Amino acid sequence: MSMHRKTITLTEQQDNWVKTQIEGGHFGNDSEYIRDLIRKDQQAKERVAVLRQALADGESSGKPKPLDISSIKAAGRKQRKAAS
């Protein structure tokens, strides 16, 4: 994987935060911390996209049906019994 150098500007408070994360042993240097933040942001965006797709699929899946709580509870009890 090729690496690209970027220059960023941080406030003093942000810079102190990054230094604290490194001094705490969470990251080896500023770049590791920034890359971790980017990875987490990418993962969060992916989770939102998956959730939105699931909502869209649900909305387009047809007319809603009434909820049968007793059958849901029975299924849950059956699963719990099978797991024990």
Side-chain angles (χ1 to χ4, degrees), residues 10-34 37:
L10 303 173
T11 65
E12 185 175 346
Q13 186 259 349
Q14 291 169 331
D15 187 50
N16 288 334
W17 177 260
V18 172
K19 287 177 184 175
T20 300
Q21 299 308 301
I22 295 165
E23 290 167 1
H26 303 287
F27 302 95
N29 57 44
D30 296 20
S31 293
E32 285 181 16
Y33 182 61
I34 299 300
L37 291 174

Side-chain angles (χ1 to χ4, degrees), residues 48-62:
V48 168
V50 168
L51 179 57
R52 285 188 175 147
Q53 184 60 52
L55 288 169
D57 291 347
E59 288 176 345
S60 65
S61 68

